[in-house]
Amino acid sequence: MKSHSRGNNKVLESVSGLVPLLAFPLGLALIISWSHDLLEFFLLEILVNNDREMVNIFVNTDNVDLCVFKVYSRGLRTLMAMENNNEYDVALATNTIGIYNILNFAKKCLKLKKLLHLSTAYVCGEKEGIISEKAFEFGETLTKTFTKLDFKIEKELVAHQLSQLGETKTSEAAINATMREFGTQRAKHFGWPNTYVFTKAMGEMCVEQFKDDVPTIILRPTMIVSTYKEPFPGWIEGLRTMDTLIVGIGKGKLPFFLGIPTVALDLIPGDMVVNAMILSMVFGEGGMIYHVGSSIKNPVYISEIRNYIHRYFIENPLFDHKKENPITVHKIILLQHISTLNIYIAIRYLLPLKILEMVVSLPYLRCYKDVYAKNMRKLQTIMRFIQIYKPYVLFNMIFDDTNCEGLRENKVKGSRNLELMETFNFDPNSIDWEDYIINTHIPGLIKYVII
């Protein structure tokens, strides 16, 4: 896989060369564009010959990285490898401008039948209650502003910011930090909690505004976790979604966290998302939006997840870095309000750290300087995690999946093909969360990521 520098990370900026696309017998092709190690991908269902023989489709392209993968062999791997990159220039190029360009690309595919855009359910921002499967209007914001949301203006602002940073010969690390902060500022200005969901929302707006006659489907998965069955249970790459919390608890480094015990954490296994992608391409209708999640059909609550994680590590403890002593775990404290969190941190951490800071300033006690630095880094890490997870653990979002249920019931089950229903299962009702988290997800996380 190629890794592009910031200067070359435009995603599908123009169309002029020759790139072959393979249409597989089922008419499914996974088209991937990548930029700065961040993957954004789409499914195109190609209308092939009536006998569904494999065909080649050639499209004029230029300066574009495109590759076609069979959905299950590599598509799932790609899905699990997606990152929430918070650098605004990269996120905007991938999640928004890339969508605009792929639409222009799709319009040149004369035999194109459908285009599937993979978004995220959390484009809704920090809302509570039932979140419907409805589209954004172009330029829509989640808060009242005097400026209209326009991705082309955002692109110009990013270019200006990068130009200024380039003139001052700023280091790459400083540029990354500045662009992360700039993205957060722009997201919050328009009502979104972070850069990722903000740029994803603009991507959806592009789909609705510029699709013209292209039949499009938007799929919004919730919090993607390890596989339920395929290619094997518990498979995952890297720390995703709630996995950082699991590792923190298992290693005894997360004594507290922000979260309301009765809030449902909407989880969905990665292979079920892929199944929904495939079946929405086969049975879905253009213009539809599908929420793929579990909160409305089979919710699992934060308090339950905490108990499952605690129980697992009590029975199957991790060991220290010398692999000699089992790590003792405690059930983490859930703080339900930001104000409560701030008071707890001030009394439990900031006050002792302030005293320690004064102590290490004394010449004969400077040996404790490393202790101060280590504990300060630990607190800062926890606070970064809290900022990332705040929209998901404080707001009781229930994602309506009426359209998705219609896809399952009317189309898939209506086909009366039992093998199809079993092979491409994406029904959250089939998941026993206690069994899945304790016997599948955490063991898979330890096997494929931690060890």
Side-chain angles (χ1 to χ4, degrees):
M1 181 174 296
K2 296 181 181 179
S3 176
H4 297 268
S5 65
R6 174 167 273 103
N8 295 319
N9 67 8
K10 296 180 180 180
V11 183
L12 306 179
E13 282 290 352
S14 59
V15 184
S16 74
L18 195 62
V19 174
L21 301 179
L22 293 179
F24 291 99
L26 288 179
L28 293 167
L30 183 60
I31 294 186
I32 303 175
S33 64
W34 53 79
S35 168
H36 200 68
D37 294 329
L38 177 63
L39 300 177
E40 173 65 29
F41 63 104
F42 310 82
L43 271 175
L44 293 178
E45 182 180 10
I46 308 298
L47 182 60
V48 298
N49 296 341
N50 291 332
D51 58 0
R52 291 188 175 272
E53 290 180 352
M54 188 177 293
V55 296
N56 287 332
I57 296 177
F58 294 89
V59 182
N60 288 328
T61 59
D62 179 44
N63 195 26
V64 177
D65 289 309
L66 290 174
C67 192
V68 181
F69 290 83
K70 286 186 178 179
V71 172
Y72 257 103
S73 63
R74 297 186 185 178
L76 181 56
R77 181 184 180 92
T78 303
L79 174 65
M80 302 304 291
M82 290 182 69
E83 295 281 357
N84 286 6
N85 195 313
N86 292 322
E87 294 158 16
Y88 192 31
D89 56 329
V90 177
L92 184 68
T94 307
N95 298 331
T96 306
I97 299 170
I99 310 305
Y100 175 76
N101 290 316
I102 201 72
L103 282 166
N104 291 331
F105 167 81
K107 292 171 188 176
K108 297 180 181 293
C109 297
L110 300 180
K111 296 184 179 182
L112 178 69
K113 186 177 180 182
K114 294 174 187 173
L115 183 145
L116 173 64
H117 169 51
L118 185 66
S119 185
T120 171
Y122 297 101
V123 291
C124 64
E126 296 177 330
K127 292 183 179 179
E128 291 199 271
I130 304 295
I131 311 298
S132 62
E133 296 167 298
K134 72 173 186 176
F136 283 103
E137 294 182 5
F138 191 73
E140 181 180 344
T141 64
L142 300 184
T143 187
K144 292 182 179 180
T145 63
F146 294 104
T147 54
K148 184 179 179 181
L149 177 57
D150 187 330
F151 78 93
K152 293 182 180 179
I153 293 176
E154 296 302 307
K155 182 180 177 181
E156 292 174 359
L157 290 173
V158 165
H160 178 69
Q161 187 84 346
L162 288 174
S163 176
Q164 286 187 322
L165 292 169
E167 290 174 0
T168 57
K169 297 182 179 180
T170 308
S171 68
E172 185 71 15
I175 291 175
N176 291 342
T178 301
M179 295 313 296
R180 282 194 292 269
E181 178 62 28
F182 185 49
T184 301
Q185 289 175 1
R186 297 303 295 171
K188 291 185 175 180
H189 174 72
F190 290 108
W192 279 270
N194 57 59
T195 305
Y196 178 71
V197 295
F198 174 48
T199 53
K200 278 289 192 180
M202 285 193 286
E204 285 198 16
M205 293 177 196
C206 286
V207 171
E208 294 299 324
Q209 180 71 12
F210 301 110
K211 62 184 179 182
D212 294 342
D213 296 328
V214 175
T216 59
I217 294 173
I218 295 176
L219 202 78
R220 293 175 178 167
T222 54
M223 199 172 289
I224 301 174
V225 288
S226 66
T227 56
Y228 186 61
K229 286 186 178 180
E230 300 291 343
F232 34 80
W235 179 76
I236 193 169
E237 284 194 343
L239 296 177
R240 311 292 168 200
T241 57
M242 69 173 184
D243 298 331
T244 304
L245 305 182
I246 294 174
V247 174
I249 294 171
K251 292 186 175 181
K253 295 181 178 180
L254 195 65
F256 70 94
F257 206 73
L258 184 68
I260 299 174
T262 55
V263 164
L265 203 58
D266 200 315
L267 310 178
I268 191 72
D271 53 337
M272 287 194 174
V273 177
V274 173
N275 290 342
M277 292 166 70
I278 294 171
L279 293 179
S280 66
M281 295 307 299
V282 176
F283 297 107
E285 299 176 4
M288 296 298 287
I289 295 177
Y290 297 108
H291 280 156
V292 185
S294 60
S295 56
I296 202 164
K297 291 286 191 302
N298 185 18
V300 57
Y301 300 99
I302 291 176
S303 59
E304 294 176 324
I305 294 172
R306 176 187 62 174
N307 293 340
Y308 299 154
I309 297 171
H310 180 256
R311 196 173 100 201
Y312 178 86
F313 287 114
I314 287 292
E315 298 173 358
N316 309 276
L318 297 176
F319 285 79
D320 59 21
H321 66 283
K322 295 182 180 179
K323 300 188 181 300
E324 295 176 352
N325 303 308
I327 297 173
T328 302
V329 296
H330 302 281
K331 189 176 290 187
I332 64 169
I333 299 170
L334 285 175
L335 303 168
Q336 301 186 39
H337 305 283
I338 293 292
S339 57
T340 308
L341 173 72
N342 291 335
I343 293 171
Y344 179 85
I345 290 174
I347 296 173
R348 181 70 176 79
Y349 292 94
L350 293 181
L351 182 59
L353 282 170
K354 189 64 178 178
I355 295 172
L356 185 58
E357 183 183 24
M358 295 170 62
V359 168
V360 298
S361 65
L362 300 174
Y364 51 88
L365 291 175
R366 286 177 182 170
C367 57
Y368 292 100
K369 189 174 181 179
D370 289 343
V371 175
Y372 168 79
K374 180 180 178 181
N375 282 277
M376 180 57 76
R377 284 196 302 270
K378 179 180 177 181
L379 178 61
Q380 290 171 344
T381 299
I382 294 175
M383 294 309 297
R384 281 198 300 271
F385 290 154
I386 286 174
Q387 286 301 314
I388 292 171
Y389 284 96
K390 186 177 72 170
Y392 317 118
V393 296
L394 288 185
F395 299 93
N396 197 19
M397 305 176 191
I398 306 297
F399 293 99
D400 175 35
D401 68 347
T402 301
N403 293 343
C404 206
E405 182 64 16
L407 181 66
R408 273 192 297 265
E409 294 294 327
N410 302 331
K411 302 293 185 179
V412 181
K413 292 185 179 180
S415 69
R416 300 183 183 277
N417 187 327
L418 297 179
E419 184 180 3
L420 180 72
M421 287 188 286
E422 183 177 348
T423 302
F424 296 101
N425 172 43
F426 64 103
D427 186 354
N429 280 323
S430 63
I431 304 171
D432 179 331
W433 287 114
E434 181 177 5
D435 177 71
Y436 167 78
I437 291 173
I438 292 176
N439 297 317
T440 299
H441 183 72
I442 301 179
L445 178 65
I446 293 172
K447 180 178 180 179
Y448 300 114
V449 179
I450 297 178
I451 296 179

